[in-house]
Amino acid sequence: MRDIITIAKKELKAFFSDKAILLQMFVLPFIFVFGYCMLMSSISNAQRESSEDLEKPVVAYSINAPEEFSDALNELKIIPAPDNDIEKYQNQIKNKETDLLMVFPDGFKMAEPGAADLSNIDIYYNSQKNNSMELYSKTTFVFTTMQPRIFTFNESDNNYDLFDSDAMFRKLLGGIIPLMVFMAVYLVCMNLAANSIAGDKEKGFLNTLLITPIKRGSLAIGKSLSILAVAIAASCSAFIGMAISLPRLSKAMAMSEGVSYSVLEYLLLFCAVVTGSFVLVALLLIFSTIAKDVKQATTLSPILIFVIMVPSLLNSTESFSESVEKLGNTNYFIPVWNSVKLLQDVIRVEYNISDALITFAVNIAAAALGVFVVGRLFNKEKIVNG
């Protein structure tokens, strides 16, 4: 145990004495997560503002409109035409200068249901212009409801559209946040893990350590613990960036309720990030041990990007997420995947404490297994000698 602590302290001292590594550990993850989320917020705000700016005022006229329709026409922003030149307004509609023209016949009258002699309203519009088509749809709907009916529907003040826009935005956040958080931790730990073992192997320093009285297993565990400590620091930095960004993103996406999480939910998010990072570090250490040099280690490491990206992106798609949900608790027994799934669950406020505990236990066990594998690899001369 003393040898393990000694090796870990030596590695950590080397990390903490290097300002570049300190910046990489404590600042880079925060900037990566927070910066990306702020970029998303800016894009969302810009899109909303541009869509508002692009909304042009309606230009629509009516000819011979009876007085009883004035309220409906005013609501639709259809005003009386300055003159009765129908052909002129038709040409304006063709040229997309005017949105709509309603022409009521002389002597217009509301006929009784079933009457043969019905007055016809001519409505001219341009289907290639959005404003024109939308106004035509609204106008026909409004005037259709004025016709005699045998029943009504959806006329109370109740909200009949039960679509949950906040749930949609939470799902979107669930696809973005986990990917950014784990990518930030990966970027920090990749080079450090590669240099810790493959770098020492390349420089010949690892062989020097192996001939000392320190057990190879203790050496492997000591180096692994130092990188795991770095993962915790990077996870904290990424978590802070995530915690600050979530409310800002919700505001930018115009979520009605906003994002508000309890202390327990933030704690679950933090533990999901940390334990998931442990598994990533264990895999990076295995790659670093197998590799002959730093270049080979960093070449193998990008494989983990797919491990991060696949669950994060696929769980955000409707068809795939339905298949994932059918797996039930099985999702939380798959290392890394379970952390991404738990992050998404907590962000959507659809989590279960038992699933969270399974995730933490599985990831810690997987990380411990990874460190054990590194220790076993250190006992193979062909591997440690490159």
Side-chain angles (χ1 to χ4, degrees), residues 63 81-92 101 103:
I63 296 177
D83 53 60
N84 293 340
D85 190 347
I86 296 175
E87 186 177 351
K88 179 182 75 173
Y89 296 115
Q90 287 177 333
N91 288 330
Q92 288 180 1
L101 173 67
V103 181

Side-chain angles (χ1 to χ4, degrees), residues 68-84:
E68 58 263 33
F69 294 137
S70 59
D71 290 339
L73 293 173
N74 289 334
E75 185 178 344
L76 292 167
K77 298 180 181 178
I78 300 175
I79 62 175
D83 53 60
N84 293 340

Side-chain angles (χ1 to χ4, degrees), residues 104-260:
F104 293 81
D106 295 329
F108 176 87
K109 62 179 179 178
M110 296 282 285
E112 294 297 325
D117 186 18
L118 297 176
S119 296
N120 180 67
I121 304 173
D122 295 323
I123 305 177
Y124 301 96
Y125 66 100
N126 189 331
S127 62
Q128 292 184 333
K129 186 179 181 184
N130 289 336
N131 275 6
S132 180
M133 192 64 198
E134 288 176 9
L135 182 59
Y136 173 75
S137 299
K138 290 178 183 178
T139 303
T140 53
F141 174 78
V142 169
F143 277 79
T144 299
T145 58
M146 291 182 181
Q147 295 175 356
R149 297 169 293 172
I150 60 173
F151 61 86
T152 64
F153 59 91
N154 289 4
E155 287 204 343
S156 70
D157 293 331
N158 294 337
N159 180 23
Y160 294 99
D161 186 356
L162 302 180
F163 170 69
D164 188 353
S165 60
D166 285 0
M168 182 190 71
F169 287 128
R170 286 181 187 273
K171 186 172 184 178
L172 179 60
L173 292 178
I176 297 171
I177 298 296
L179 176 61
M180 290 300 102
V181 168
F182 284 116
M183 280 292 291
V185 175
Y186 164 81
L187 290 173
V188 172
C189 296
M190 180 186 67
N191 288 326
L192 295 180
N195 281 289
S196 180
I197 299 177
D200 285 354
K201 190 189 299 186
E202 186 178 355
K203 297 171 187 174
F205 184 64
L206 186 60
N207 285 329
T208 303
L209 288 174
L210 292 175
I211 61 175
T212 63
I214 300 175
K215 293 181 180 180
R216 294 191 176 194
S218 299
L219 180 61
I221 294 173
K223 282 182 170 291
S224 299
L225 288 179
S226 65
I227 304 298
L228 288 172
V230 170
I232 293 174
S235 298
C236 290
S237 178
F239 170 76
I240 293 171
M242 175 179 63
I244 296 174
S245 301
L246 280 173
R248 293 171 179 265
L249 266 175
S250 69
K251 184 178 179 182
M253 292 179 176
M255 291 176 65
S256 60
E257 297 178 1
V259 172
S260 179

Side-chain angles (χ1 to χ4, degrees), residues 265-287:
E265 287 161 348
Y266 276 115
L267 182 62
L268 291 176
L269 289 171
F270 176 73
C271 291
V273 174
V274 172
T275 57
S277 299
F278 284 172
V279 181
L280 288 178
V281 166
L283 293 172
L284 287 170
L285 287 168
I286 292 173
F287 289 157

